[in-house]
Amino acid sequence: MIIKHVTMYASNFDATKQFYLVRLQFPLLSEEPDRFTMNVGETAVTFIEAPFNEKPFYHFAFDIPSNQFEEAKEWTKGKVTLSKEQGEDEVYFEGIDAKSIYFEDPAGNIVEFICRLSDAKQSTAPFTASSLQKVSEMSIVVKDKLNSVSVFHEVSIFERDHKGISAEGLTFMGRREDASYLLFVNEGRTWFFSNKNAEVFPVEVLLTDGVLLKIDENLKLVSLDLA
């Protein structure tokens, strides 16, 4: 399972577009008056202008090359203010041998750059936004995880390492060997490196096997097999 295309909504749309395309210089794939799509390695990311007075926000993670954590961190610090957790601006996840940094974009999204030290490909080119390899984590927020998990199971997406679903915390949906995950979470959880609580907003995630998972306009989790 690889995340092929993510579609989200963004308030503060013009500033968000300027942030990604001008300040960070993500490669542009296409644009229309109310949306733009940028390239993140193996993944396309689309932001659509949010309806007036709505302020959706999401958490997602971009993979950086396994040998470029420090370089990527310095590059990012030169362009944005890194978020902190307990005074630290980076974190090491022992269970997956990975380091991450976080920041917020103008739409209020919690953006994570993650370096999977054992899994991600290396690079010899200077780090830029074009060095990012894919969206490796996309959070899916729901009102009730236990009652929604069947939507994943119906399209053969299961818990990482088959650890099962708990009502609390994050549940990683996907295979460890793919290093691509849908982060399944109940609304109300406080996001790491943020003081925001998770909320349910419309989002679409297209996977490489043709499965489309989405939080629809009724804020319900649904899946479609487009293959």
Side-chain angles (χ1 to χ4, degrees):
M1 180 192 86
I2 302 295
I3 298 171
K4 182 178 180 179
H5 196 162
V6 177
T7 302
M8 296 171 279
Y9 289 83
S11 61
N12 206 7
F13 179 75
D14 290 340
T16 301
K17 182 177 178 181
Q18 176 87 2
F19 177 81
Y20 282 107
L21 301 185
V22 178
R23 185 187 297 187
L24 300 186
Q25 296 189 322
F26 276 71
L28 177 67
L29 293 177
S30 65
E31 61 179 326
E32 298 177 34
D34 68 338
R35 68 193 63 199
F36 68 94
T37 300
M38 61 190 194
N39 177 247
V40 186
E42 297 179 62
T43 311
V45 176
T46 296
F47 287 105
I48 301 174
E49 187 170 13
F52 184 67
N53 282 340
E54 294 188 13
K55 298 186 181 299
F57 65 91
Y58 310 85
H59 162 262
F60 44 88
F62 299 147
D63 271 3
I64 62 177
S66 62
N67 62 324
Q68 289 191 315
F69 178 76
E70 295 299 337
E71 184 180 351
K73 181 179 178 180
E74 288 305 309
W75 179 89
T76 308
K77 285 172 62 176
K79 298 179 181 297
V80 302
T81 299
L82 296 183
S83 302
K84 292 186 177 183
E85 181 83 9
Q86 298 181 345
E88 299 294 331
D89 63 2
E90 65 179 69
V91 61
Y92 175 66
F93 298 107
E94 183 176 2
I96 58 172
D97 191 25
K99 289 183 176 181
S100 289
I101 55 174
Y102 296 77
F103 58 90
E104 287 195 16
D105 67 17
N109 295 309
I110 300 149
V111 186
E112 178 182 355
F113 283 3
I114 184 167
C115 181
R116 302 178 191 278
L117 299 169
S118 303
D119 298 329
K121 297 176 183 177
Q122 295 191 358
S123 175
T124 57
F127 182 85
T128 69
S130 296
S131 304
L132 296 166
Q133 298 174 332
K134 63 183 177 182
V135 174
S136 61
E137 297 177 6
M138 183 67 214
S139 291
I140 304 292
V141 183
V142 295
K143 294 182 180 296
D144 188 336
K145 285 171 63 178
L146 297 181
N147 285 333
S148 301
V149 68
S150 62
V151 175
F152 288 98
H153 292 173
E154 287 168 2
V155 290
S156 299
I157 299 173
F158 299 97
E159 301 87 315
R160 183 177 67 190
D161 302 330
H162 298 280
K163 290 185 175 180
I165 293 285
S166 64
E168 304 299 325
L170 289 173
T171 300
F172 285 73
M173 307 295 294
R175 303 187 309 168
R176 185 180 290 268
E177 54 264 40
D178 294 331
S180 291
Y181 305 104
L182 300 173
L183 274 57
F184 196 28
V185 61
N186 274 336
E187 66 177 346
R189 178 189 185 274
T190 301
W191 289 117
F192 199 33
F193 277 77
S194 172
N195 59 5
K196 291 183 173 181
N197 292 330
E199 297 183 43
V200 186
F201 297 108
V203 62
E204 293 187 1
V205 183
L206 178 64
L207 306 176
T208 49
D209 57 5
V211 169
L212 177 68
L213 283 153
K214 61 188 292 189
I215 302 292
D216 66 15
E217 63 275 8
N218 298 314
L219 302 185
K220 301 293 185 181
L221 177 63
V222 298
S223 65
L224 300 168
D225 190 345
L226 305 181

